[in-house]
Amino acid sequence: MARSLGKPVVLLRNVPQSLLPGLGWLAPSCDAVVDGGLGVQLARFNPVGASAARSTEPVYAEVRDPREAPAVRALLDSLTTGRDAPVRLAAARSWRGLPALYREHAVFVTASDGQGREQLACGARVIGPLGSGLDADAVRAELGKARAASPLSLAEIRGELRDIFISHATPAR
């Protein structure tokens, strides 16, 4: 339909190509292929309303993906299971509820760059993405430092927002 109207056809892949093998045939027929999603929607993900007294208990705010890499799966299992697990799994939230969840907590563990940037935009400290070379001991050390620290100050949040705005905001993408 877009082509018949003289508009460019763009395929937006927000997951790795290997996880969507059924769409491989579509890429060559598009004018452009964009990997990595649309970026951070700063109107949705922002620190407005984030409390300075929010909890620094680390949270993993993603439904566990059965297709995650074995190393990521093992690391997340070691961090989130057991009585003394250092990271709490957040209850599933709808698309609309994610910004509120991100503003409620000061520390997150993430397995995805995109989700980490959304959490940073909401004013949280982010550890990860897991699977990018971090081992369990390094993650546990970062968790200890983040738990002991106070939530990010407005000056620190402002710096993160500038970085996200320049290269990862939806209009910049």
Side-chain angles (χ1 to χ4, degrees):
M1 178 119 178
R3 201 170 298 288
S4 69
L5 295 171
K7 306 286 184 192
V9 178
V10 178
L11 173 62
L12 175 68
R13 281 194 294 228
N14 60 355
V15 296
Q17 186 176 354
S18 61
L19 297 179
L20 290 173
L23 291 180
W25 64 270
L26 189 58
S29 65
C30 295
D31 297 313
V33 177
V34 178
D35 288 311
L38 287 174
V40 179
Q41 298 174 7
L42 292 176
R44 276 187 70 215
F45 298 102
N46 60 65
V48 174
S51 169
R54 55 194 166 153
S55 169
T56 57
E57 176 189 4
V59 175
Y60 182 78
E62 181 76 38
V63 177
R64 296 291 302 274
D65 187 350
R67 301 169 296 184
E68 63 196 4
V72 173
R73 175 176 297 287
L75 182 55
L76 281 172
D77 287 344
S78 74
L79 294 172
T80 59
T81 56
R83 247 177 42 168
D84 299 327
V87 177
R88 184 176 61 84
L89 289 172
R93 295 279 176 112
S94 69
W95 179 83
R96 292 187 191 281
L98 282 178
L101 173 69
Y102 295 164
R103 288 183 200 103
E104 290 171 4
H105 300 280
V107 179
F108 285 93
V109 173
T110 185
S112 125
D113 281 329
Q115 184 184 45
R117 284 190 282 273
E118 291 171 351
Q119 293 163 346
L120 283 170
C122 286
R125 293 182 194 279
V126 177
I127 299 166
L130 302 178
S132 63
L134 294 174
D135 65 351
D137 293 332
V139 171
R140 288 180 190 278
E142 284 190 49
L143 287 170
K145 284 190 256 179
R147 183 175 281 151
S150 60
L152 293 175
S153 69
L154 287 176
E156 292 170 311
I157 293 171
R158 190 176 300 122
E160 292 292 344
L161 282 173
R162 281 190 185 116
D163 291 343
I164 292 168
F165 178 77
I166 290 169
S167 45
H168 300 290
T170 301
R173 293 286 310 226

